[in-house]
Amino acid sequence: MTYEEALQKINDRLVFGVKPGLERIQALCEKLGDPQKRTRFIHVAGTNGKGTTCTLIASVLQAAGFRTGLYTSPYVLDFRERFRIDGEMIPKTELIEEVERVAAIAAELEAQGETITEFEFITALAFDWFARRACDFVVLEVGLGGRFDATNVIDTPEAAAVASISFDHTAVLGDTLEKIAYEKAGIVKSGGSVVLYPVQDEAVTRTFSTVCAERGAKLFIADESRMEVGETTLAGTAITWDGLPLTTPFTGAHQVHNAATALTVLGVLREKGVQIPDEALQKGFSSAYIPARMERLSEKPLVLLDGGHNPGCAAALHEVLTTHLSGRKITAVMGIMSDKDSMRYLELTAPHFAKIITVAPHNPRALSAEALAEEAAVFCADVTPASSIEEALRLSAVGDDEVLVICGSFFLASEIRELAIERYTK
């Protein structure tokens, strides 16, 4: 099997969509020898900020000398970004081996009438790879919700974290914050330790308090009174936590909350005897990196790439634009999926832009450039649909003292990132 054939075997399963229930992933894992039982996990759910929280925790554990796995989604540039150990993506040869192993088992189950989804397949693959590579810890990001998410097949983790919860995937998770929080609280295990993002709707906090009490789990709400925030720029944020100076490359008030959540999780691990020196906290925070999260691709002109796609992400982008780029002439290249709340996203972001170029990423769920342009015109006077990524970049050309923001979807970020870097960093 070639690498391309391995990817195709995985992608072929996308047609099966999302299927609630853990019975299929349990069957897959059992036939693999239950690799998820041979690893210590930090399990992270939430609507926004999961990726940052996971990355900060994993970066610190790696800096502390632990072999650390990291499982995240979606990817931006390379499918293998979803599976990393100590910051390194799974090698292509090992991905091929894992696909062959899991595909053989999936075929057995399908012969018995089961249908294995793409996310179930790659989650089993991840568990197997992390176990075979003898990871000390794996930071595990929930894919969707929590209760029926394939990652929830694990036993009680070393710690669970819940990032910011807001409205997303309402057709699957429910149309109220209580319903969404209940689904995400499905990761709370008996006797576990759960850390909650410090700024949540009261309904979310109430739901988690109730669920933790019912299951005998300890609930920790990240205490930002332990934190002092220093200088915040587009390059990152300086903070002090219990007197320890730290810097993170992420910017925005929401990133301060994510940092507090990650630090509280690491504190829980310390209380359990995990050796995490202060130096590891400092090194792990300063070296953390995620593509397409307010990522600066160029300084002159300033080109920002942000893949956030829901109202919570739009609010974060709005804050950065207001705080750091007020008064600047900003052009946007924007692409959004049709199943997202595009009008709310536009309401928060589009008024900041002097010009918007809309484009449809190469994805069957993408909102057409024309439809997005019609919606964006409600908030911005200069909106033009583009027929391709290349045309969008050409139409959005900016001068050295101007700003280009590429936003709205990780699918767009994936397609445009290298082309934008090539265009603006020559």
Side-chain angles (χ1 to χ4, degrees):
M1 181 183 295
T2 65
Y3 175 65
E4 289 71 24
E5 289 169 339
L7 288 186
Q8 192 58 51
K9 267 200 174 296
I10 294 169
N11 291 334
D12 284 347
R13 296 182 176 276
L14 287 168
V15 298
F16 300 132
V18 176
K19 289 188 170 187
L22 299 178
E23 60 278 1
R24 293 173 301 277
I25 184 70
Q26 286 170 337
L28 268 176
C29 287
E30 183 178 351
K31 287 181 175 292
L32 283 166
D34 281 325
Q36 80 283 6
K37 295 183 181 296
R38 305 200 300 273
T39 308
R40 292 185 288 178
F41 291 98
I42 294 88
H43 203 189
V44 182
T47 307
N48 296 311
K50 288 181 296 183
T52 301
T53 304
C54 286
T55 298
L56 288 170
I57 295 168
S59 187
V60 170
L61 289 173
Q62 179 186 343
F66 297 104
R67 182 187 288 270
T68 306
L70 178 60
Y71 180 58
T72 58
S73 59
Y75 70 94
V76 178
L77 300 175
D78 190 314
F79 176 80
R80 296 178 299 135
E81 289 171 26
R82 303 179 78 159
F83 323 86
R84 280 171 282 178
I85 295 177
D86 291 344
E88 298 295 324
M89 295 187 295
I90 184 172
K92 290 182 178 181
T93 55
E94 294 182 30
L95 180 66
I96 293 168
E97 291 173 6
E98 290 292 349
V99 169
E100 289 174 338
R101 281 169 59 82
V102 178
I105 294 170
E108 290 179 28
L109 294 172
E110 284 160 351
Q112 299 168 17
E114 294 287 4
T115 301
I116 307 302
T117 69
E118 184 256 4
F119 191 71
E120 290 164 347
F121 188 98
I122 65 171
T123 300
L125 184 159
F127 287 146
D128 194 56
W129 184 57
F130 291 136
R132 294 176 75 193
R133 292 287 297 271
C135 287
D136 298 308
F137 292 97
V138 171
V139 183
L140 189 67
E141 180 182 342
V142 169
L144 175 64
R147 186 162 62 115
F148 293 125
D149 187 77
T151 62
N152 206 30
V153 73
I154 65 171
D155 294 330
T156 304
E158 296 299 307
V162 182
S164 175
I165 290 180
S166 60
F167 290 99
D168 199 10
H169 301 291
T170 53
V172 178
L173 302 181
D175 56 3
T176 68
L177 284 178
E178 288 91 344
K179 292 177 182 177
I180 294 170
Y182 180 75
E183 291 300 322
K184 294 182 187 294
I187 71 168
V188 176
K189 301 289 199 303
S190 177
S193 299
V194 182
V195 174
L196 194 59
Y197 182 89
V199 184
Q200 300 279 16
D201 187 278
E202 183 181 340
V204 173
T205 304
R206 186 171 58 248
T207 298
F208 272 88
S209 295
T210 299
V211 172
C212 285
E214 290 173 350
R215 299 177 190 172
K218 293 181 180 179
L219 178 63
F220 302 83
I221 297 176
D223 181 6
E224 292 189 313
S225 69
R226 301 167 63 185
M227 177 181 285
E228 294 180 11
V229 181
E231 184 181 15
T232 299
T233 69
L234 283 173
T237 306
I239 59 176
T240 302
W241 180 260
D242 288 342
L244 180 70
L246 303 165
T247 59
T248 168
F250 310 124
T251 191
H254 64 294
Q255 297 293 14
V256 173
H257 305 323
N258 290 334
T261 306
L263 286 162
T264 305
V265 169
L266 293 161
V268 168
L269 296 179
R270 277 175 154 180
E271 289 179 5
K272 292 186 173 185
V274 180
Q275 297 300 306
I276 304 173
D278 285 350
E279 294 77 14
L281 289 173
Q282 292 173 315
K283 181 180 178 182
F285 263 55
S286 64
S287 60
Y289 166 74
I290 311 176
R293 262 85 163 192
M294 305 293 181
E295 182 183 12
R296 292 174 300 153
L297 302 184
S298 166
E299 295 295 342
K300 195 171 184 180
L302 179 61
V303 179
L304 293 178
L305 179 66
D306 186 58
H309 53 256
N310 58 36
C313 298
L317 179 57
H318 163 79
E319 186 221 337
V320 168
L321 295 172
T322 301
T323 303
H324 300 293
L325 296 172
S326 180
R328 300 283 296 274
K329 183 181 179 183
I330 310 173
T331 296
V333 171
M334 187 182 293
I336 297 179
M337 296 294 106
S338 60
D339 56 352
K340 300 301 177 183
D341 188 350
S342 53
M343 288 302 287
R344 179 58 177 158
Y345 185 94
L346 287 161
E347 180 184 356
L348 289 167
T349 60
H352 292 281
F353 304 134
K355 178 167 66 174
I356 298 175
I357 309 300
T358 61
V359 66
H362 292 295
N363 185 286
R365 293 192 292 112
L367 190 62
S368 73
E370 291 74 21
L372 181 56
E374 186 175 337
E375 292 182 355
V378 175
F379 306 100
C380 178
D382 188 352
V383 182
T384 304
S387 61
S388 66
I389 298 293
E390 292 79 6
E391 184 184 29
L393 279 175
R394 180 176 58 79
L395 292 174
S396 64
V398 294
D400 284 352
D401 60 343
E402 297 175 351
V403 181
L404 174 63
V405 174
I406 304 168
C407 60
S409 168
F410 283 109
F411 294 105
L412 173 62
S414 175
E415 292 176 34
I416 203 171
R417 187 176 182 274
E418 291 305 314
L419 290 172
I421 289 173
E422 182 181 348
R423 180 182 182 95
Y424 286 105
T425 59
K426 286 183 178 178

